[in-house]
Amino acid sequence: RMLELASNRVAYHAQFLTAGNREAVLQALLERAPTWDVFYAAGLIDDSADTSALRAMGTRLAVPLVSARGERSPFLRIDGSWEQFLASQNKKFRYKVKRRREDHVKDPAWRTRWFENDTSTDELLHDMLAIEQSSWKASAGTDIASRDFELRYHRELLPFLSDAGMLSAVVLYRGAEPVAYSLCCRSG
């Protein structure tokens, strides 16, 4: 019997969301859960506070822990400003960024719109759905609109992020048509 952390297809990196001590919260969860033989926590980031808490609890309780490398999704922590990050990259990378930025500015058909706090999350979701509908995701059945639970999730997620001051999304347009988006949340 396996006890598995609830997750979703949007969050590539799982976290224990708690205001308390992670190890104590995790232990309380496991003690109150119905009978189980294996506890499965997928998507934890190596060397994160969550992974450390799980390992510490396992060591303290003398239970066997098995760790396996899973999917390597793109995750890039950027500490500091964009300018500091850019300065830390090699010359080729900086050139490509500069060149693409110049190309983008020169062509008036291209524009970006940032959706952050106090912006229309309905418009953002509309544009996200339009982009996914014309992408490979629609034919693969992995676009947001193809699964009702995913659509409901995003309808609740976007206003929540905006109200919490955590929304950071950008949409790229060619003329009036949305062609690409990036949805992020900002914390700390």
Side-chain angles (χ1 to χ4, degrees):
R1 296 161 293 185
M2 182 168 62
L3 176 63
E4 183 174 356
L5 290 178
S7 188
N8 63 67
R9 295 175 187 259
V10 176
Y12 296 107
H13 302 285
Q15 287 183 279
F16 300 127
L17 302 177
T18 175
N21 175 292
R22 282 178 167 84
E23 189 178 338
V25 170
L26 181 59
Q27 183 171 341
L29 167 74
L30 296 176
E31 288 172 353
R32 286 168 181 76
T35 305
W36 54 274
D37 300 307
V38 174
F39 173 66
Y40 181 73
L44 296 178
I45 300 171
D46 291 340
D47 302 322
S48 68
D50 299 323
T51 303
S52 297
L54 187 59
R55 286 187 180 128
M57 188 192 73
T59 301
R60 188 171 46 74
L61 298 176
V63 295
L65 293 173
V66 176
S67 177
R69 177 153 313 274
E71 175 181 325
R72 297 214 29 127
S73 60
F75 178 78
L76 177 63
R77 179 177 300 280
I78 300 176
D79 296 316
S81 69
W82 169 251
E83 290 75 22
Q84 290 168 326
F85 169 74
L86 195 56
S88 72
Q89 300 302 301
N90 65 40
K91 186 177 179 178
K92 183 177 180 180
F93 181 89
R94 291 191 311 266
Y95 172 79
K96 282 183 177 181
V97 169
K98 179 182 175 190
R99 179 71 184 195
R100 289 179 182 148
R101 186 178 292 159
E102 288 170 354
D103 290 346
H104 178 75
V105 170
K106 286 179 189 174
D107 187 346
W110 292 100
R111 68 179 177 89
T112 55
R113 178 177 175 194
W114 284 92
F115 292 83
E116 295 182 304
N117 312 319
D118 302 322
T119 60
S120 172
T121 56
D122 288 338
E123 288 178 52
L124 172 59
L125 183 59
H126 177 269
D127 290 348
M128 290 168 53
L129 295 175
I131 292 163
E132 291 203 355
Q133 185 59 45
S134 62
S135 76
W136 62 268
K137 288 180 149 189
S139 60
T142 60
D143 61 310
I144 293 170
S146 71
R147 295 181 308 267
D148 190 50
F149 74 90
E150 193 89 22
L151 186 56
R152 285 193 321 266
Y153 173 81
H154 280 82
R155 281 193 176 127
E156 292 180 24
L157 174 68
L158 298 178
F160 170 81
L161 291 176
S162 181
D163 293 344
M166 298 170 61
L167 180 63
S168 183
V170 64
V171 177
L172 176 66
Y173 298 88
R174 173 90 172 142
E177 181 184 358
V179 294
Y181 77 90
S182 175
L183 173 61
C184 301
C185 63
R186 181 175 35 225
S187 177

